[in-house]
Amino acid sequence: MSPTVLPTDQAAVAQLAVARLQAAGYQVEADAECATPTTQDRYVTDGRSIANLAAAIRDAASPAEVSDRLEEVTAAHDGILAALDQLLHSLAAVYDGLGGPADRHVAARMRYLAEHRLGPITADLLHTRAGLADRTTATSARPGPALPAAAPPASPAHTASGRTR
């Protein structure tokens, strides 16, 4: 019992806590009175949302499901890469306004990343998505597993300072 929460509100507070933990990606075991069947998306950070998307891709049962998930990354209007492009251009605008000699260089670098680095990544992922969609059409008549087993994640690389990246 919490001294700051009325007894009549404790179940609602517990359900909210469970929903927030689930939204953050935690597996939560809760009593029936505290459990909630859904997470509350408004508590999911952008980073957690992308991690959840990566998990959904790893756990996908078919190439069609992976292709659908990649749409969230590659969508021109509201995909992750489009948002990253906006972020880089926003940073460039901020640095343009700062006025220092190094600031112009940073602004130019942000624009370069947006215009010359994101393009190839987007093109590769669009090609990958199209290939998965084609595979879905080609394999829909064949029985058998749709996707190979996922490879284990690579271990972090160590830098000269001993830090991992």
Side-chain angles (χ1 to χ4, degrees), residues 33-81:
E33 66 188 29
C34 300
T36 178
T38 61
T39 61
Q40 295 184 2
D41 290 337
R42 69 177 183 251
Y43 299 116
V44 179
T45 63
D46 294 333
R48 172 50 62 189
S49 180
I50 293 170
N52 290 344
L53 179 60
I57 287 172
R58 267 192 311 277
D59 297 341
S62 69
E65 198 174 325
V66 175
S67 179
D68 288 347
R69 298 292 185 206
L70 280 177
E71 184 175 7
E72 296 178 45
V73 177
T74 60
H77 57 286
D78 66 350
I80 293 168
L81 293 173

Side-chain angles (χ1 to χ4, degrees), residues 63-163:
E65 198 174 325
V66 175
S67 179
D68 288 347
R69 298 292 185 206
L70 280 177
E71 184 175 7
E72 296 178 45
V73 177
T74 60
H77 57 286
D78 66 350
I80 293 168
L81 293 173
L84 185 55
D85 179 77
Q86 291 174 4
L87 179 128
L88 290 170
H89 278 97
S90 294
L91 281 171
V94 166
Y95 273 91
D96 279 337
L98 293 177
D103 298 333
R104 288 193 320 257
H105 173 73
V106 174
R109 181 71 182 158
M110 294 301 111
R111 276 191 214 76
Y112 171 80
L113 291 173
E115 295 164 9
H116 299 287
R117 296 294 188 202
L118 281 181
I121 292 170
T122 302
D124 282 351
L125 288 175
L126 285 168
H127 179 75
T128 299
R129 183 170 177 253
L132 287 166
D134 290 346
R135 184 174 293 186
T136 300
T137 305
T139 61
S140 61
R142 280 191 307 195
L147 294 174
S155 59
H158 292 279
T159 63
S161 67
R163 299 173 80 185

Side-chain angles (χ1 to χ4, degrees), residues 2-50:
S2 170
T4 60
V5 178
L6 296 174
T8 56
D9 295 333
Q10 287 182 0
V13 170
Q15 280 186 328
L16 180 61
V18 168
R20 286 182 178 184
L21 288 167
Q22 288 173 333
Y26 292 98
Q27 298 295 324
V28 180
E29 290 184 28
D31 294 338
E33 66 188 29
C34 300
T36 178
T38 61
T39 61
Q40 295 184 2
D41 290 337
R42 69 177 183 251
Y43 299 116
V44 179
T45 63
D46 294 333
R48 172 50 62 189
S49 180
I50 293 170

